[in-house]
Amino acid sequence: MLQGELGVASLLIALVVALAVMSSVHIAQQWEKVVVLRFGKFNRVSGPGLFWTIPIVEQNTMRVDGRVRATSFGAEETLTADLVPLDVNAVLFWMVWDAKAACTEVGDFTRTVELAAQTALRDAIGRAGVAEVAIRREQLDRELKRILEEKVAPWGITILSVEVRDILLPKELQEVMSLEAQAEQRKKARIILMEAEQDICEMMDDMGDSYSKNDAALRLRAMHLLYESVRETGGTVVVPSSFSEGFGDVLPDTLKDSFKG
């Protein structure tokens, strides 16, 4: 009976020791950091790989993923500075670089980052006009990144980039902005045409001065224009005799006779 009691006690002790060893051995993945508390106070950050804790005395409270994360957020029917409601969707790329701060400084850092990004987006939209928001996306991205970096830095989080994916305007405003854009393009086209006409007028003015001093050059220019007008079509031009006499000074005698004939 005595030996039997000792055998049971040994078995219980061995079982307790095995459970203690199993509860003290932990494995963290390559991308994980584990915050370890000792008697409720921060002790260290362990991982990745194999690490040990003292049963009952130490606790591994939270595993923090150190990989880059993508969080989608948006602002629905947010009023701009000129009181136009916009629906804006964006994506935030961020990561945790300090697991201790992320676990001890804020309760749910993932949810907090998402709410902070949404609030910053609404504030940025409210300070700008609808045209500025719709056209200057890159400026909005940089502004959101700067604001979020200042807010989440104490939590051990870094903001890699903020990208605005989509901006939805009211249909009525889309039609108005489309008409405005069309009118602006017509204006630019007319300005370009007027500048081209001005350049042509200046060139023709210079050419007129040159031709006024040289009648032969003017006649040669007329012949060149006549040739260009029939070269592509392959047509035939009938020159009246009164017109052919105008080329008398520049045409050879053979061509003069052909015109007269």
Side-chain angles (χ1 to χ4, degrees), residues 29-153:
Q29 303 298 327
Q30 178 65 36
W31 55 86
E32 288 181 334
K33 295 289 185 179
V34 183
V35 178
V36 179
L37 302 181
R38 178 175 295 177
F39 293 116
K41 294 182 179 180
F42 173 79
N43 181 259
R44 66 185 184 276
V45 176
S46 299
L50 180 68
F51 66 97
W52 300 78
T53 58
I54 303 174
I56 302 174
V57 177
E58 294 181 344
Q59 296 176 342
N60 51 333
T61 58
M62 183 179 294
R63 294 174 178 261
V64 179
D65 192 333
R67 294 175 294 184
V68 177
R69 308 188 188 190
T71 300
S72 179
F73 64 99
E76 297 181 357
E77 297 184 356
T78 304
L79 294 179
T80 61
D82 46 3
L83 302 180
V84 177
L86 294 180
D87 293 342
V88 181
N89 295 322
V91 61
L92 172 66
F93 296 93
W94 59 283
M95 64 180 298
V96 179
W97 60 270
D98 188 351
K100 173 187 175 182
C103 295
T104 59
E105 298 296 334
V106 62
D108 186 355
F109 61 87
T110 302
R111 179 61 176 169
T112 305
V113 168
E114 181 181 354
L115 294 177
Q118 187 176 16
T119 302
L121 177 60
R122 289 182 176 274
D123 293 341
I125 294 174
R127 291 193 301 268
V130 60
E132 185 177 359
V133 174
I135 297 174
R136 300 180 180 178
R137 289 193 179 189
E138 295 182 357
Q139 181 178 354
L140 182 60
D141 294 343
R142 292 192 297 268
E143 182 179 356
L144 290 175
K145 184 176 183 295
R146 177 182 57 81
I147 295 173
L148 290 175
E149 282 179 343
E150 297 176 356
K151 183 173 294 185
V152 304

Side-chain angles (χ1 to χ4, degrees), residues 149-220:
E149 282 179 343
E150 297 176 356
K151 183 173 294 185
V152 304
W155 306 336
I157 296 172
T158 181
I159 304 299
L160 301 178
S161 64
V162 182
E163 298 179 4
V164 176
R165 294 188 300 177
D166 196 9
I167 300 176
L168 300 179
L169 303 175
K171 293 184 178 180
E172 297 79 5
L173 184 60
Q174 291 180 10
E175 296 177 356
V176 173
M177 294 184 68
S178 177
L179 293 175
E180 182 180 357
Q182 294 178 14
E184 185 67 21
Q185 293 298 326
R186 294 192 186 99
K187 176 182 176 181
K188 292 181 180 179
R190 291 180 180 178
I191 292 176
I192 294 174
L193 180 60
M194 293 177 63
E195 291 177 351
E197 291 180 352
Q198 183 178 1
D199 294 339
I200 293 173
C201 289
E202 293 176 356
M203 293 176 62
M204 293 183 67
D205 188 18
D206 296 338
M207 292 172 61
D209 293 339
S210 300
Y211 288 142
S212 62
K213 300 176 183 179
N214 192 338
D215 294 337
L218 179 61
R219 294 190 183 97
L220 289 174

Side-chain angles (χ1 to χ4, degrees), residues 221-259:
R221 178 59 180 168
M223 292 180 62
H224 179 72
L225 292 175
L226 180 63
Y227 171 73
E228 291 292 336
S229 63
V230 298
R231 184 182 61 177
E232 298 296 335
T233 60
T236 302
V237 177
V238 178
V239 181
S241 59
S242 59
F243 183 78
S244 64
E245 293 175 356
F247 298 102
D249 297 335
V250 297
L251 294 178
D253 295 337
T254 56
L255 291 179
K256 291 181 183 178
D257 298 335
S258 62
F259 277 128

